[in-house]
Amino acid sequence: MRLLGVLTVCLCSVVRPTLTSLAVGPPLEENLKPFKDVCQGAKFVNGVGYQNHETDCEKFYQCYRGEKLQDRIAAPRICPFGQFWDQLVPTCRTASEVECKTDRCNLKQLISHPMDSGNCRSYWKCNLQKSVGDCCPMGQRYRKYKGCEKDSSCADPCPGDSFHQGPCDSRLVFGDRSAFQQYVAGVGWHNMTCPSNTQYSVLACGCVYHKGYDSVCKPDLYLPFNNNFRDYSGNKREVINHGVQLTNKGYAYFDGKSYLEITKFLNLTKESEVTIAIRFLETKKSGRLRAILSNSISKQQPSLLILNSAKNVHTMIKKEDSGVSTLHTVMRDGNWNTVKLMHDENSLELAVNDILAETWAIGPIQDNNENLYVGKSRGFENFVGYIDEIAVFTCRPKFIQT
């Protein structure tokens, strides 16, 4: 499946490599390790799917699908304070009333455990092997698995703000970020339009500020690996190959020592909008983080990273103020993964196989005066496996919906 099938890119004048330079192709997709899509078996209510989280009782997914089967997005959500997701209903309910197999309080020796709220006072208390939401007194902080301890700097209101918690009652319109649909009880879905200079955000469950989209967004770098390592964006960027092999089916194979170096790409971090799309298949597992894309292999710390671990895809950007923003989300073990990273000087977004994640990342990416590297980075193992194609934009293409 091509990431950029909607683009018109000339792939003419192809230079075919000699047979000795060809790598063995990836396994056929029907022979790859099967995976379960997070929305597989979701319970649909009023056109929106609901699915419980694999490990966290207080989290769940809302699943959206367009008129075309390939249009789909899974948005992770979290229940309000003291509540677990109940897939039978489906809705958030008081945690002690929900049977959740992954409730950490099932462990008899556990007294308490952390609450994923970002609140220094909130935590889960174990009562009769059931989780119950609780708060440390003002001026005390919850210490993981230990309890409350004095900390005068901890003054978060508890329970905190429940804004954007629980199910979202609006949904995106695929292909039109300026519009969304609002559900009205007894009426159904009502078409709405975002105010000017805003777009609908699935994760924010509403319209958020955005400077706008170019009517035409072309890639600054496009590597389809169609029998060569040429950049087909039209910018003719130099791609230096350090031992990467091609297959006869349009894939690049990285053996753990090889990598690609894209020169004259120093302006990437100076752009107010950066979008990166990659499709990869890891073929050899490792217990460590591996570099898929980076902007440093020297002593200089990278300010842009896409990594993979045994179960997740991770991304990191370092901003000009030296602040660091990171995200990760689950990937398909032993199968193809489609990764899309977006940064617009306000937020960092990561979509892995249409599962979304987002965090604040205000400010431009730090310029470290290095080239762009595929399959290699300072401080991490090299990537082992196949990459189908890579595209880098300094704008937000319409085919990427978040």
Side-chain angles (χ1 to χ4, degrees):
M1 182 184 72
R2 284 293 183 187
L3 289 169
L4 307 185
V6 297
L7 293 180
T8 302
V9 180
C10 177
L11 298 178
C12 50
S13 300
V14 171
V15 178
R16 295 188 179 275
T18 61
L19 291 176
T20 56
S21 68
L22 290 175
V24 176
L28 296 175
E29 297 206 21
E30 56 264 31
N31 296 329
L32 293 174
K33 185 176 179 179
F35 63 89
K36 180 181 178 181
D37 191 288
V38 295
C39 289
Q40 184 177 334
K43 181 176 290 186
F44 276 79
V45 179
N46 297 321
V48 176
Y50 298 87
Q51 183 69 284
N52 56 293
H53 194 274
E54 316 87 58
T55 57
D56 294 329
C57 297
E58 68 269 37
K59 296 179 181 180
F60 63 100
Y61 294 100
Q62 281 190 285
C63 304
Y64 305 93
R65 58 189 181 189
E67 294 180 358
K68 300 178 181 178
L69 293 179
Q70 64 268 32
D71 290 336
R72 56 177 188 170
I73 279 180
R77 310 283 189 200
I78 189 167
C79 290
F81 177 86
Q83 296 185 15
F84 278 176
W85 178 253
D86 189 341
Q87 183 67 13
L88 296 177
V89 180
T91 192
C92 295
R93 298 176 57 219
T94 301
S96 59
E97 299 175 356
V98 178
E99 291 295 330
C100 181
K101 294 180 180 179
T102 57
D103 187 348
R104 296 183 185 178
C105 286
N106 287 329
L107 297 174
K108 293 183 179 180
Q109 67 271 28
L110 203 63
I111 298 174
S112 64
H113 61 96
M115 183 179 289
D116 186 12
S117 63
N119 189 298
C120 63
R121 295 172 55 205
S122 63
Y123 67 100
W124 292 106
K125 178 175 65 177
C126 294
N127 182 24
L128 301 176
Q129 293 184 261
K130 287 281 190 177
S131 290
V132 179
D134 206 351
C135 300
C136 290
M138 183 67 74
Q140 294 188 27
R141 171 186 298 273
Y142 177 73
R143 184 181 176 189
K144 288 184 178 181
Y145 304 107
K146 298 293 184 180
C148 300
E149 59 182 23
K150 290 184 179 180
D151 184 347
S152 58
S153 66
C154 178
D156 291 347
C158 187
D161 189 359
S162 62
F163 186 59
H164 288 165
Q165 293 184 348
C168 175
D169 60 357
S170 60
R171 67 182 182 184
L172 77 162
V173 175
F174 283 93
D176 186 359
R177 299 178 182 89
S178 66
F180 66 99
Q181 292 185 322
Q182 181 71 45
Y183 186 75
V184 180
V187 178
W189 293 101
H190 183 64
N191 293 327
M192 305 286 287
T193 302
C194 287
S196 59
N197 296 321
T198 68
Q199 63 159 23
Y200 182 77
S201 168
V202 176
L203 293 173
C205 187
C207 299
V208 298
Y209 170 77
H210 195 275
K211 66 176 183 178
Y213 291 84
D214 297 333
S215 56
V216 177
C217 180
K218 296 182 179 180
D220 284 56
L221 172 73
Y222 180 42
L223 303 179
F225 302 121
N226 280 10
N227 302 307
N228 58 53
F229 295 100
R230 192 177 303 166
D231 170 26
Y232 285 96
S233 68
N235 295 311
K236 298 182 179 179
R237 297 192 184 277
E238 182 183 16
V239 181
I240 302 174
N241 179 20
H242 297 270
V244 179
Q245 291 182 288
L246 294 169
T247 76
N248 59 3
K249 296 294 185 180
Y251 303 102
Y253 176 69
F254 297 74
D255 63 4
K257 297 180 180 179
S258 57
Y259 64 98
L260 298 178
E261 180 178 0
I262 297 94
T263 65
K264 301 178 183 179
F265 219 148
L266 303 181
N267 65 326
L268 178 64
T269 57
K270 298 177 182 178
E271 299 293 336
S272 59
E273 183 112 29
V274 176
T275 302
I276 300 172
I278 300 177
R279 186 169 182 258
F280 74 91
L281 168 66
E282 184 183 44
T283 56
K284 184 178 180 181
K285 304 301 294 181
S286 171
R288 299 181 180 181
L289 292 169
R290 282 180 167 163
I292 299 173
L293 185 140
S294 167
N295 65 347
S296 179
I297 62 172
S298 68
K299 293 182 179 180
Q300 177 81 4
Q301 291 282 355
S303 59
L304 174 65
L305 273 173
I306 298 178
L307 309 167
N308 78 283
S309 60
K311 296 182 179 180
N312 296 295
V313 172
H314 309 254
T315 186
M316 182 280 292
I317 62 168
K318 188 176 183 180
K319 296 164 290 180
E320 284 190 346
D321 62 1
S322 296
V324 175
S325 297
T326 62
L327 283 173
H328 73 273
T329 191
V330 67
M331 74 175 200
R332 295 168 180 168
D333 178 24
N335 213 304
W336 286 98
N337 291 274
T338 300
V339 178
K340 300 165 189 173
L341 176 151
M342 295 76 69
H343 178 249
D344 63 0
E345 290 197 2
N346 289 305
S347 64
L348 174 65
E349 300 169 62
L350 176 66
V352 180
N353 306 316
D354 301 315
I355 304 174
L356 306 182
E358 181 181 34
T359 188
W360 289 108
I362 298 175
I365 300 172
Q366 187 180 88
D367 187 359
N368 63 0
N369 295 311
E370 289 214 30
N371 294 323
L372 199 63
Y373 301 91
V374 180
K376 185 180 179 68
S377 176
R378 179 185 184 273
F380 301 96
E381 288 189 356
N382 285 18
F383 175 71
V384 179
Y386 297 91
I387 294 183
D388 186 359
E389 61 181 339
I390 300 172
V392 179
F393 304 80
T394 51
C395 50
R396 182 74 67 90
K398 290 183 177 181
F399 77 90
I400 293 182
Q401 177 85 54
T402 62

